[in-house]
Amino acid sequence: MATEFHNLQELRHSASLANKVFIQRDYTDGTVCKFQTKFPSELDSRIERTLFEDTVKTLNNYYAEAEKIGGQSYLEGCLACLTVYLIFLCIETRYEKVLKKISRYIQEQNEKVYAPRGLLITDPIERGMRVIEISVYEDRGSSGSSSGSSTTSSSGR
Amino acid sequence: MIIRKPTRKWEKLPGKNTFCCDGRVMMARQKGVFYLTLFLIVGTCSLFFAFECPYLAVHLSPAIPVFAVLLFIFVMAMLLRTSFSDPGVLPRALPEEANFIEMEIEAANGNVLAGQRPPPRIKNVQINNQIVKLKYCYTCKIFRPPRASHCSICDNCVDRFDHHCPWVGNCVGKRNYRYFYLFTLSLSLLTIYIFAFNIVHVVLREYRSKKMFHVDSLTPHCTVLEVLVCFFTIWSVVGLTGFHTYLISLNQTTNEDIKGSWSGKNRVQNPYSHKNIIKNCCEVLCSPTFPSVLDRRGVMLEDSSSPTHSDASAASTHKSSNPVSQTTKSSAPLIPNEHTPDEAKPGIGAGTQKSTSSPKGEKPPSPTSPNAVAPAVIKESTH
């Protein structure tokens, strides 16, 4: 049964968590932060494959941008070393800036794409950059089988 | 009105770290050797500045003590940065994630006959056309990312784990390896510098003994002491710097070198090396500064009845001793403190993780599914 939610607020108040899907890291390119774009079967009925893949690919691009070793990272490193790393008290590292962009992107995706489908993406940084956690919600009224994992969103608490 | 101090996430992080300055500083539990390091460096340099520098500044050049001061400041900054920062600790898996992984493992293993030992939990991944085995960590309940290892002293999985260094009182991992390297490098330079100028000082005194100046009877003793300390330090620290320079040029960690992961004919070649010394050095020393994934200073949501999520940030304070208690929490009916991304603060600060709020004294039995392997059986401890 398709569950429709108009926004994140509704999702929190009228839905209960049914399941969580974890998108694992893709290590084929080494230790850079990259997530698998393989579409999990649990989301088959909830979201279109292309939308999901787009989200993961965009996230991967963001992380690649953050971890890129190039002119800017050399400059940052040299400048930081010369100032005995005190410069990081004043300015943000490039990685932190990209993480903020990622956070905004995830929030935007949640609002526009995932919440209307009863899903919620958790920022990977909150899970140690190990997984992308996608929470699957069921409408409280319609679903009688709330899973025992019983994680509810923290909004009410 | 009593304002209760908010509980910060570092207070609930598992593992065996100690935290200071309300979560800003993160170190290992045993700090004795670190204090010794501090004492040796500060003590020797103080003697140098007090006894040798006045003479050298007057008779040779004032630039000598100035450069010594700069070098000393750099050494101390690198030491403190290495010691106090999060080495790249990987947070433990939350119960749902742990269960998800368990289910995957069970599905992969199929039915294990009673009495038969379950197969080891290993995942094979292909990195740059080499097969690398990822091991499962029974403490942290995750498959360790490549190059990560579990430090038994700190009881954490650390990303790109190099080694646990008692001299700096912390693990050396992805986030603080470059500071560690710069510390050993600058300390080598400082030691050689002090050693050399002590010799110069002694030689000058011999040749200028006819000059009228106040002979301080304490000075020769201090010089001898400094020379002794520097002599022994040079052998160890310069050697260590050389060793790490070699490792960096090959893009290897101490852990991999000791275990012989990439050596030998039948073994896999190092898949992380760029086969180019400059590129390897650049990657290790000039790569972007990775943020900590442990949110040490994040505030825990007030809810004593259910386990609170502690952020995955590397700043893990290990006040709770038993990570097993975390899995018990998964059977608790409600976990109300889970942040939705909507509420999460942007950047590193956001994040929640189930904290082990179980009573510290008790060790609740871990929920065991029929096919689960006892966590205590295989525990990778690396040093």
Side-chain angles (χ1 to χ4, degrees):
Chain A
M1 170 183 284
T3 48
E4 289 290 326
F5 301 94
H6 295 295
N7 54 29
L8 281 172
Q9 287 292 105
E10 245 188 64
L11 185 72
R12 273 200 290 273
H13 291 294
S14 65
S16 62
L17 187 68
N19 196 9
K20 283 194 180 185
V21 181
F22 296 93
I23 313 298
Q24 304 287 337
R25 284 270 295 268
D26 177 8
Y27 294 115
T28 50
D29 287 337
T31 48
V32 290
C33 187
K34 193 177 168 194
F35 291 95
Q36 292 177 357
T37 47
K38 190 172 75 104
F39 188 69
S41 51
E42 293 92 336
L43 299 179
D44 233 343
S45 53
R46 305 300 296 250
I47 191 168
E48 293 83 1
R49 187 181 287 253
T50 47
L51 283 173
F52 169 81
E53 281 175 6
D54 276 343
T55 310
V56 181
K57 279 185 185 152
T58 313
L59 284 175
N60 286 343
N61 287 339
Y62 273 124
Y63 286 118
E65 179 200 328
E67 297 190 18
K68 197 168 72 129
I69 302 172
Q72 199 184 351
S73 73
Y74 293 152
L75 265 177
E76 198 182 63
C78 287
L79 185 67
C81 188
L82 287 172
T83 59
V84 196
Y85 294 94
L86 291 172
I87 194 124
F88 290 143
L89 295 171
C90 315
I91 66 168
E92 233 175 17
T93 65
R94 189 161 66 118
Y95 212 113
E96 284 166 1
K97 287 188 192 134
V98 177
L99 284 177
K100 287 198 171 153
K101 276 204 266 184
I102 289 171
S103 186
R104 279 195 296 270
Y105 172 75
I106 288 178
Q107 192 166 341
E108 177 208 322
Q109 285 286 291
N110 273 332
E111 280 167 11
K112 292 190 186 148
V113 178
Y114 288 83
R117 291 166 172 81
L119 302 169
L120 214 54
I121 301 183
T122 306
D123 195 335
I125 193 96
E126 299 180 27
R127 299 289 177 261
M129 310 271 269
R130 275 197 315 269
V131 288
I132 302 176
E133 186 184 290
I134 301 180
S135 310
V136 181
Y137 287 89
E138 296 288 345
D139 188 21
R140 265 191 202 135
S142 59
S143 157
S145 57
S146 214
S147 81
S149 67
S150 62
T151 40
T152 55
S153 63
S154 57
S155 59
R157 298 168 186 265
Chain B
M1 185 168 116
I2 300 165
I3 300 167
R4 227 169 8 139
K5 203 182 95 162
T7 311
R8 300 258 182 201
K9 287 175 181 167
W10 62 264
E11 298 176 53
K12 301 283 183 207
L13 285 168
K16 294 183 192 162
N17 289 88
T18 50
F19 293 80
C20 310
C21 302
D22 201 18
R24 291 181 182 90
V25 165
M26 176 180 174
M27 290 181 76
R29 250 182 216 169
Q30 299 94 342
K31 297 187 277 287
V33 187
F34 168 68
Y35 293 135
L36 175 68
T37 309
L38 271 180
F39 172 74
L40 283 173
I41 296 175
V42 172
T44 312
C45 290
S46 310
L47 291 178
F48 182 70
F49 292 135
F51 295 103
E52 267 79 23
C53 281
Y55 184 88
L56 290 169
V58 165
H59 290 91
L60 273 185
S61 161
I64 295 170
V66 168
F67 188 72
V69 167
L70 291 175
L71 204 47
F72 171 72
I73 290 172
F74 191 78
V75 167
M76 289 307 294
M78 290 300 105
L79 172 64
L80 295 179
R81 184 104 193 181
T82 309
S83 302
F84 294 166
S85 60
D86 163 20
V89 172
L90 295 170
R92 301 195 182 179
L94 297 179
E96 293 105 6
E97 195 188 331
N99 289 338
F100 184 84
I101 296 173
E102 287 276 352
M103 287 189 327
E104 268 189 346
I105 293 170
E106 282 165 34
N109 286 344
N111 281 328
V112 179
L113 296 171
Q116 210 179 49
R117 196 188 178 93
R121 296 183 171 193
I122 289 180
K123 216 191 243 186
N124 286 329
V125 293
Q126 194 177 53
I127 300 176
N128 290 333
N129 299 319
Q130 311 265 5
I131 301 291
V132 174
K133 293 188 192 304
L134 301 186
K135 288 193 184 150
Y136 181 77
C137 180
Y138 285 92
T139 311
C140 304
K141 306 222 181 305
I142 56 170
F143 275 101
R144 284 186 212 120
R147 315 195 92 176
S149 203
H150 191 94
C151 175
S152 49
I153 299 174
C154 300
D155 204 22
N156 286 320
C157 271
V158 178
D159 207 355
R160 203 187 183 280
F161 179 74
D162 194 84
H163 67 286
H164 181 97
C165 186
W167 298 95
V168 302
N170 204 359
C171 285
V172 177
K174 180 164 87 169
R175 292 191 73 243
N176 64 354
Y177 183 67
R178 76 192 66 188
Y179 310 131
F180 174 76
Y181 178 72
L182 289 174
F183 165 64
T184 56
L185 185 64
S186 54
L187 185 62
S188 308
L189 291 173
L190 183 65
T191 317
I192 293 171
Y193 190 85
I194 292 180
F195 185 76
F197 279 105
N198 274 336
I199 306 291
V200 165
H201 177 237
V202 167
V203 166
L204 281 181
R205 287 242 183 198
E206 286 299 308
Y207 280 115
R208 296 185 192 201
S209 55
K210 290 176 194 168
K211 261 200 164 183
M212 300 290 287
F213 60 88
H214 173 70
V215 178
D216 180 357
S217 63
L218 193 56
T219 309
H221 296 100
C222 294
T223 309
V224 166
L225 184 65
E226 287 167 48
V227 165
L228 273 176
V229 171
C230 290
F231 183 75
F232 289 112
T233 310
I234 283 176
W235 282 111
S236 43
V237 176
V238 171
L240 189 67
T241 310
F243 175 63
H244 279 282
T245 311
Y246 162 75
L247 287 181
I248 288 175
S249 65
L250 293 178
N251 201 337
Q252 272 190 32
T253 63
T254 307
N255 195 40
E256 287 162 359
D257 187 71
I258 287 175
K259 287 183 174 170
S261 305
W262 317 124
S263 61
K265 276 179 282 188
N266 299 328
R267 298 272 201 151
V268 179
Q269 297 301 306
N270 187 355
Y272 314 107
S273 170
H274 299 278
K275 312 280 187 242
N276 179 327
I277 291 179
I278 308 284
K279 274 194 184 170
N280 284 338
C281 291
C282 286
E283 193 198 298
V284 177
L285 299 174
C286 304
S287 59
T289 323
F290 292 94
S292 170
V293 294
L294 290 185
D295 181 26
R296 283 167 286 186
R297 305 220 350 110
V299 179
M300 296 279 247
L301 294 188
E302 296 294 322
D303 196 287
S304 51
S305 58
S306 48
T308 46
H309 288 263
S310 54
D311 202 294
S313 57
S316 36
T317 39
H318 304 279
K319 292 247 174 110
S320 60
S321 51
N322 193 5
V324 171
S325 56
Q326 244 183 351
T327 47
T328 324
K329 289 287 177 278
S330 58
S331 52
L334 294 169
I335 303 164
N337 291 318
E338 179 179 301
H339 279 303
T340 57
D342 196 41
E343 290 168 7
K345 287 177 255 179
I348 305 158
T352 50
Q353 187 185 59
K354 283 177 194 159
S355 68
T356 53
S357 58
S358 60
K360 304 278 190 282
E362 286 297 310
K363 284 193 175 186
S366 56
T368 48
S369 57
N371 295 333
V373 179
V377 172
I378 304 165
K379 190 168 177 179
E380 173 90 33
S381 65
T382 55
H383 176 58

